Amino acid sequence: MKKIKLFVSVLLSILLIFQLSLVAGASDSKDVNHENASFETAHKFVYNALLDDGPRIPDSESRLLPQTNTRANPSSVDLSSSQYFPPVRSQYNIGSCVSWASTYYQFGYQVASKYSLNVNNTNNLFSPKWVHNITIDGVDNPGSSFSSAYSVLKSNGAVRYSKFPPLSDWVDDPTTEYIPWHLNIDDMTEALRYRISDYQFLEFAEISEEDTPITSYNSSCLNNMKAFLSAGFVLTYSTDFGESNGVTNTDWIYGTLSNQTNSDYNGDYVCIRASNIKPGRQGHAMAIVGYNDNIRYDINGNGSIESFERGAFKVVNSHGTSWENEGFVWVMYDALNKVSNASNQNPSNRQAIFEGYGYYVINVKEYPCDVIAKVTLTHFDRRQIKLDLGVSDTSVNYPYETMTTMLSLRLFGERVNFSGTGTTSQTATFVFDFGDLYDLDTERSNCYIEILESALSGAAIVKEVELLDGTGKTVALETTDKTVNGTTEIYKFKLGIVGDVNNDASITTEDASLIQKYVASLVTLSNDDLKVADVNGDERVTASDATAIQKYLANIITQFDNGSVLLLE
């Protein structure tokens, strides 16, 4: 009998050891920097992402949320496995993480996947350096915010990676990298084609009300984030990161995956929480590219996998392929909680997503560039120039809707000229698209270009203002040489759509009929009507204009000889 009891005891011990070997490692052995910490410390990545204080809304109220049944989300999604996902690259020692996350990965993937661009060609990638250098507001290798990056991507897009590539190694003098602007007019015009049409700052739970919103891999608060990822939206977020300084316990805490359902994940690093990160200390930005509900890690170390110990987001970093899982890392769902489900995982400021429960989502669009503003300016201090676009209906003389462009006031940036090559006065030309403010689906409108020069640094000279339509035809040209010193100069243009004779924001057979009636002296047309009716540009309104509209509607011709937009006054 004693031998039987001994045999049973030994057998139970073996079974217990075998069970523990089936689950991921215990969490208490992972509260140290992992083997890549020496890589981080040696290379001194710079973390300067600025926090956004702007309003956020519950993700269930997002206008961008896919109209699908979020309960039907697949168990895993990995956008980084797509042929359209940009190759992992490094920001090196430049504080440009926000632009890498938003411009290179998020914007780059969504444009490439939507419009079938080959990302193996760097001319189909987008330059994070271009957006970063425009949006930084400070000195000493400064960072930027998501809101400023998205503002530039909405108004001006991003030049291609091949036209303004970031550095490919560490530099001793970061100013040589983050101060220059790329001002090639053709590249900036090309950048206007693909832009953000909308973006939102969302939250999956209310930080002031819910300490532990995620209690399981299938918690409902995760459904909308999963729905976005399932629909092809890369998500971005801010965090605090201590890895650049090598200070123990001011870091993300990692475990190593083992015995996963998908053995390919064995050996991957997984973040189980942050540890005592101090707010604002090491601001960093990354992008979420997927999720997997089947990732398992024994967070509390009790030898079994509980519901909250399943599921992780896949995150991409801008530290190159030598970082973690070839540039990626898993982040357990529980790491997003303010308070962990595991009692042994609750140091102060433990969240892997730093801005509460917030994340960012964007939508992208290909723009026809129906009305482009081309502005040439002279100044020695680019910080002091602000240029906005605006529109209104023709009954008023002030814009009721405006858009801030890449030229915005920078009170704390480097005091340099437009290209960043010095402090001497410089002339540069910029292009801007009125985009969603004005397109060929709008009635006649007033369009505005507002140029402000701050009185802090001296006069600017507006050399030239030109409007071009979608065919490249010059609609208006003012060579003003106007000095602007501490004031705002406003240029207003009243525009109409060529061929839209009845001003209903569309070209139809009714417009051709109106021209025919005018030629037969059956109706009268206003001066504005006559201008847009002259579709062949011969400064007369005849039956040939009506014929041209009919050919246009029959797709025999794709554009009018007189262009697409006209200056009415």
Side-chain angles (χ1 to χ4, degrees), residues 327-530:
F328 301 89
V329 72
W330 296 104
V331 178
M332 294 298 293
Y333 296 155
D334 183 72
L336 276 59
N337 284 323
K338 185 178 178 181
V339 176
S340 174
N341 291 277
S343 60
N344 65 338
Q345 297 294 329
N346 284 304
S348 60
N349 298 317
R350 67 172 303 277
Q351 290 176 276
I353 285 185
F354 183 65
E355 290 186 87
Y357 299 134
Y359 63 96
Y360 302 80
V361 62
I362 68 171
N363 202 13
V364 298
K365 179 178 176 181
E366 182 177 10
Y367 284 85
C369 298
D370 295 323
V371 181
I372 289 180
K374 188 175 180 181
V375 181
T376 302
L377 303 166
T378 299
H379 208 297
F380 59 85
D381 187 355
R382 68 191 184 195
R383 301 176 313 164
Q384 308 307 325
I385 296 292
K386 188 175 189 298
L387 190 150
D388 294 340
L389 305 179
V391 296
S392 74
D393 60 42
T394 56
S395 64
V396 297
N397 292 314
Y398 56 87
Y400 55 70
E401 188 176 2
T402 60
M403 177 172 64
T404 299
T405 69
M406 62 174 284
L407 287 178
S408 60
L409 214 55
R410 295 165 191 79
L411 295 178
F412 304 105
E414 300 281 356
R415 177 170 287 188
V416 291
N417 54 26
F418 291 120
S419 66
T421 56
T423 57
T424 57
S425 190
Q426 181 184 43
T427 298
T429 299
F430 300 87
V431 287
F432 312 97
D433 174 36
F434 280 84
D436 292 322
L437 292 180
Y438 183 90
D439 56 37
L440 295 189
D441 293 326
T442 62
E443 296 178 344
R444 295 166 193 168
S445 300
N446 289 337
C447 292
Y448 304 83
I449 302 172
E450 298 183 356
I451 302 170
L452 167 67
E453 197 281 336
S454 169
L456 298 178
S457 65
I461 299 175
V462 183
K463 303 289 290 184
E464 188 173 280
V465 174
E466 184 177 8
L467 283 189
L468 300 99
D469 72 1
T471 70
K473 186 195 71 173
T474 296
V475 176
L477 176 62
E478 295 192 24
T479 53
T480 61
D481 274 343
K482 176 72 176 181
T483 298
V484 184
N485 188 11
T487 58
T488 299
E489 187 70 13
I490 300 177
Y491 295 85
K492 186 190 79 169
F493 306 94
K494 181 182 177 183
L495 302 180
I497 303 169
V498 175
D500 182 19
V501 185
N502 64 359
N503 192 30
D504 65 354
S506 62
I507 301 173
T508 66
T509 55
E510 185 177 340
D511 297 303
S513 177
L514 271 176
I515 294 175
Q516 291 169 337
K517 290 178 181 179
Y518 170 78
V519 173
S521 300
L522 299 176
V523 298
T524 59
L525 296 176
S526 70
N527 288 336
D528 288 345
D529 294 338
L530 290 171

Side-chain angles (χ1 to χ4, degrees), residues 285-299:
M286 290 188 274
I288 302 174
V289 299
Y291 68 89
N292 193 319
D293 292 339
N294 298 313
I295 294 292
R296 303 174 298 137
Y297 188 82
D298 185 15
I299 296 173

Side-chain angles (χ1 to χ4, degrees), residues 14-314:
I14 293 173
L15 289 173
L16 178 60
I17 293 172
F18 179 72
Q19 180 185 15
L20 291 175
S21 70
L22 290 177
V23 299
S27 59
D28 58 357
S29 66
K30 298 300 179 182
D31 271 6
V32 293
N33 290 338
H34 56 293
E35 64 185 37
N36 276 348
S38 59
F39 173 79
E40 309 293 344
T41 304
H43 291 86
K44 297 292 184 184
F45 285 103
V46 176
Y47 302 118
N48 285 332
L50 304 179
L51 299 182
D52 284 327
D53 296 325
R56 69 185 81 177
I57 65 171
D59 58 13
S60 60
E61 300 175 10
S62 172
R63 58 182 172 266
L64 300 178
L65 187 65
Q67 299 302 307
T68 59
N69 180 4
T70 57
R71 294 183 180 180
N73 291 321
S75 61
S76 65
V77 169
D78 185 359
L79 301 179
S80 68
S81 65
S82 165
Q83 63 178 316
Y84 300 116
F85 194 80
V88 171
R89 298 180 188 272
S90 179
Q91 70 186 78
Y92 295 102
N93 57 325
I94 305 299
S96 54
C97 56
V98 166
S99 294
W100 278 95
S102 62
T103 304
Y104 182 75
Y105 290 123
Q106 185 183 46
F107 179 73
Y109 168 76
Q110 289 184 217
V111 169
S113 62
K114 190 171 183 178
Y115 300 105
S116 300
L117 303 184
N118 178 11
V119 295
N120 293 318
N121 182 343
T122 56
N123 196 47
N124 290 327
L125 299 173
F126 297 92
S127 171
K129 177 179 176 180
W130 194 77
V131 172
H132 176 69
N133 291 12
I134 291 170
T135 57
I136 55 176
D137 195 6
V139 296
D140 193 19
N141 205 356
S144 59
S145 67
F146 277 112
S147 60
S148 59
Y150 292 146
S151 178
V152 170
L153 289 172
K154 196 172 191 299
S155 66
N156 288 83
V159 303
R160 303 305 173 91
Y161 194 101
S162 58
K163 305 298 185 180
F164 197 46
L167 50 75
S168 57
D169 206 346
W170 309 85
V171 292
D172 294 329
D173 182 6
T175 62
T176 61
E177 178 70 7
Y178 67 77
I179 289 181
W181 281 10
H182 182 72
L183 300 178
N184 180 280
I185 192 68
D186 293 331
D187 296 342
M188 288 192 289
T189 301
E190 182 185 35
L192 295 174
R193 179 179 178 185
Y194 299 116
R195 305 204 303 279
I196 286 178
S197 60
D198 198 2
Y199 70 92
Q200 286 186 299
F201 188 12
L202 306 175
E203 58 184 7
F204 65 84
E206 175 56 57
I207 190 69
S208 62
E209 296 180 1
E210 300 184 66
D211 289 341
T212 312
I214 304 170
T215 58
S216 167
Y217 67 93
N218 58 7
S219 289
S220 60
C221 66
L222 296 174
N223 285 345
N224 292 328
M225 293 180 74
K226 293 177 181 179
F228 276 123
L229 291 162
S230 298
F233 290 84
V234 170
L235 310 177
T236 55
Y237 69 97
S238 296
T239 183
D240 238 352
F241 226 49
E243 293 189 343
S244 66
N245 57 19
V247 178
T248 303
N249 292 329
T250 56
D251 205 343
W252 275 20
I253 304 302
Y254 299 85
T256 304
L257 296 180
S258 61
N259 299 300
Q260 299 297 305
T261 303
N262 185 337
S263 61
D264 291 342
Y265 301 147
N266 290 334
D268 280 2
Y269 287 113
V270 58
C271 172
I272 58 176
R273 61 172 169 83
S275 179
N276 298 310
I277 296 292
K278 297 180 179 179
R281 186 163 181 266
Q282 292 283 306
H284 191 43
M286 290 188 274
I288 302 174
V289 299
Y291 68 89
N292 193 319
D293 292 339
N294 298 313
I295 294 292
R296 303 174 298 137
Y297 188 82
D298 185 15
I299 296 173
N300 59 15
N302 68 354
S304 64
I305 295 297
E306 299 167 60
S307 185
F308 72 87
E309 294 173 314
R310 279 185 56 185
F313 287 110
K314 188 175 184 180

